[in-house]
């Protein structure tokens, strides 16, 4: 039996990649999207629809473009390295129209239920019910790909904050936060120092009377702009680094990076000191935050113990008058349309975060349900490429017990590696995970053999940023442009920065390089001359 038609639920970046992957394998996708547009999280809306992701007006990617791209569709070379959400939408629209994906999407169609058919154990089919304009419609599908994201249901832990119900000011979640206009002259406390908390606190602090940034755990602040002004991920996420890291004990890597981050900003003095080591928890992008702290616009505070009608009392006993509380406390997720949530316990028992381990037929898959330390688009895309191979019957999954064993081993490993947190159960290392899924599909690059027939490419792949094009060089879904895309990736990183280029005659570089070569020759000669001189004297003596 081979699968023919596939329901793709959601048209965010994961859903778009899923549609494209279905088409690559000759499957027939039907994508249901409850909103009226593609893009999911990246589509900014002043008033987000309940059940959809909500972002703020200034949101900018924290992963750089060369590592965030779809693997066979590089971003235009003039795009900045870190995209504003509107630019990301522009890219997604180009991608969707280039590969003709829009015609497979049914907008304003919400999936309400996904149930096994009575003959599921032989057919593997699903009954899918959707709602359009208040009317229900039923379909039968051979496969289902769930791409609904994990940032739609706000996590608002009011129970942890006694007194918040009597607080007379306003409180909101970052899901609702759009821009700082309503915060002019206000005294604001932001709860939580994740990426959103740090962004929002900094942004509000420009207009507010005072912003307090409250954190229980502290955090490590890293930056988009890394050494020499290069994008952080493009510098650190290389195969070379990953190889080195595998040989080093974790504490040494932690020490190296923590020292580096502390050299930029003493985390203790800034009140940010984390209770965990760098590698065991998510870090926060803080290019701007130190600036807001050193100018006093943002004051870092411990956890809020309780709220009164008009103030917040912190765990250190201090009390501050407050007008607005912003909860930057993250998100939870669920799958209300699935019948047996417990059996589909997506939290823990998904084989490689994709396939439920206990189904008689592997015809249901979760895409994008992980938190890569790195970009989502390429990891989701690889998951989809694997899933369609399985759906099409070209690739078999291991037995249920093997999948369970694999899943349990991973859980154990993660428990040792990462700080326990109910909402961070899907953390994976970007390169490792992509290689793992790529091996399933047969598209993991073989660097050793590449070193023989294309050493230049192999060297860039090993020392350069580990970009998604690497998974399009061979095997199913091979793209002939991948080779060039890898060799030109550094040009695309530099192009948007070099917007003021001096002419040769104006720049000092030509004379400089002349001086440099002379210096190099002199430097090389000195030791030679010295040793000749010493030898000469020794032989004389
Ligand atoms: C503030 C913030 C910043 C981020 N920055 C980055 C970054 O810089 N780089 C990066 O790689 N990742 C980033 N991420 C992670 C981000 O979630 C992913 O990049 C990506 O947008 C996830 O896409 P998705 O398609 O999986 O889900 P989403 O974008 O959430 O899309 C899900 C879609 O499913 C639809 N849907 C939901 N339920 C139903 C239903 N029942 N029926 C029909 N349709 C439904 C929704 O309307 C939505 O369109 C960020 C996340 C957040 C919260
Ligand atoms: C990763 O590699 C870069 C240069 O390619 C180097 O500067 C950096 O120190 C390395 N980092 C780690 C963690 O190995
Ligand atoms: C931070 O500063 C304090 C006091 O100035 C100092 O004692 C401490 O060693 C510094 N920490 C680091 C990691 O440099
Ligand atoms: C980017 O921000 C999102 C939202 O806070 C987060 O989930 C993701 O881990 C961040 N990416 C990296 C590489 O830290």
């Amino acid at each position: 039996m081979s699968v023919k038609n596939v329901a793709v639920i959601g048209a965010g970046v994961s859903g778009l990649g899923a549609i494209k992957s279905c088409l690559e394998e000759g499957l027939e996708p039907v994508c249901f999207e409850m909103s009226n547009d593609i893009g999911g999280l990246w589509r900014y809306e002043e008033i987000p629809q309940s059940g959809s992701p909500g972002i703020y007006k200034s949101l900018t990617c924290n992963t750089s473009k060369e590592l965030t791209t779809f693997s066979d569709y590089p971003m235009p070379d003039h795009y900045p390295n870190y995209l504003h959400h509107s630019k990301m939408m522009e890219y997604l629209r180009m991608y969707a129209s280039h590969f003709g994906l829009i015609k497979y999407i049914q907008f304003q169609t919400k999936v309400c239920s996904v149930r096994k058919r009575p003959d599921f154990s032989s057919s593997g089919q699903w009954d899918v019910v959707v709602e359009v304009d208040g009317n229900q419609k039923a379909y039968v599908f051979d496969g289902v790909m769930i791409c609904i994201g994990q940032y739609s249901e706000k996590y608002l832990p009011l129970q942890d904050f006694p007194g918040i119900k009597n607080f007379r000011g306003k409180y909101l979640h970052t899901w609702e936060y759009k821009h700082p206009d309503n915060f002019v002259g206000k005294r604001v406390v932001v709860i939580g120092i994740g990426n959103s908390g740090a962004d929002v606190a900094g942004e509000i602090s420009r207009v507010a009377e005072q912003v307090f940034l409250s954190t229980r755990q502290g955090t490590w602040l890293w930056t988009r702009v890394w050494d020499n002004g290069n994008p952080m991920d493009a510098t650190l996420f290389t195969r070379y680094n990953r190889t080195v890291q595998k040989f080093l004990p974790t504490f040494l890597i932690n020490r190296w990076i923590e020292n580096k981050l502390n050299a930029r900003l003493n985390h203790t003095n800034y009140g940010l000191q984390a209770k965990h080591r760098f590698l065991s928890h998510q870090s926060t992008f803080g290019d701007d935050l130190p600036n807001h702290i050193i100018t006093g616009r943002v004051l870092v505070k411990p956890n809020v113990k309780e709220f009164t009608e008009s103030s917040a009392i912190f765990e250190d006993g201090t009390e501050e008058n407050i007008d607005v509380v912003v909860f930057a406390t993250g998100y939870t997720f669920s799958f209300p349309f699935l019948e047996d949530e417990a059996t589909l316990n997506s939290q823990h028992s998904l084989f490689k975060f994709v396939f439920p381990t206990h189904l008689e037929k592997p015809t249901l898959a979760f895409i994008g349900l992980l938190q890569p330390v790195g970009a989502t688009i390429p990891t989701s895309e690889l998951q989809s490429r694997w899933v369609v191979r399985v759906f099409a019957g070209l690739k078999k999954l291991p037995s249920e017990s093997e999948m369970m064993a694999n899943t349990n081993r991973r859980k154990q490993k993660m428990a040792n590696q990462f700080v326990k947190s109910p909402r961070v159960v899907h953390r994976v290392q970007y390169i490792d995970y992509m290689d793992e899924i790529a091996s399933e599909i047969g598209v993991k690059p073989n660097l050793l053999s590449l070193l023989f027939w294309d050493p230049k490419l192999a060297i860039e792949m090993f020392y350069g940023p580990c970009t998604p094009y690497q998974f399009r060089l061979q095997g199913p879904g091979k793209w002939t442009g991948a080779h060039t895309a890898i060799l030109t990736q550094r040009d695309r990183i530099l192009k948007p920065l070099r917007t003021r280029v001096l002419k040769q005659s104006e720049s000092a570089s030509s004379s400089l390089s002349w001086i440099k070569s002379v210096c190099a020759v002199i430097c090389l000669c000195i030791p030679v001359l010295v040793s000749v001189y010493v030898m000469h004297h020794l032989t004389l003596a």
Side-chain angles (χ1 to χ4, degrees), residues 262 266 268-269:
N262 266 327
N266 183 321
T268 313
N269 293 347

Side-chain angles (χ1 to χ4, degrees), residues 14-87:
S14 300
L16 292 175
I19 303 173
K20 161 78 163 38
S21 303
C22 285
L23 296 174
E24 271 177 16
E25 269 323 321
L27 306 175
E28 291 165 26
V30 179
C31 175
F32 301 111
E33 166 56 52
M34 70 181 190
S35 74
N36 57 9
D37 202 353
I38 61 166
L41 179 107
W42 298 103
R43 186 185 60 246
Y44 173 80
E45 270 175 321
E46 196 73 26
I47 301 164
Q49 192 181 344
S50 135
S52 280
I55 52 171
Y56 35 95
K57 213 166 186 172
S58 65
L59 180 71
T60 304
C61 281
N62 54 18
T63 51
S64 76
K65 68 168 178 178
E66 284 304 308
L67 283 94
T68 307
T69 168
F70 284 103
S71 59
D72 54 357
Y73 195 70
M75 297 198 187
D77 56 2
H78 66 273
Y79 267 35
N81 284 286
Y82 292 100
L83 305 184
H84 183 248
H85 61 74
S86 56
K87 262 284 188 271

Side-chain angles (χ1 to χ4, degrees), residues 48 427 469:
R427 244 169 102 79
Y469 325 120

Side-chain angles (χ1 to χ4, degrees), residues 506-523:
E506 288 178 64
S507 76
S509 70
S510 54
S511 57
L512 254 184
S513 63
W514 181 80
I515 296 173
K516 262 191 208 154
S517 8
V518 172
C519 288
V521 171
I522 294 174
C523 290

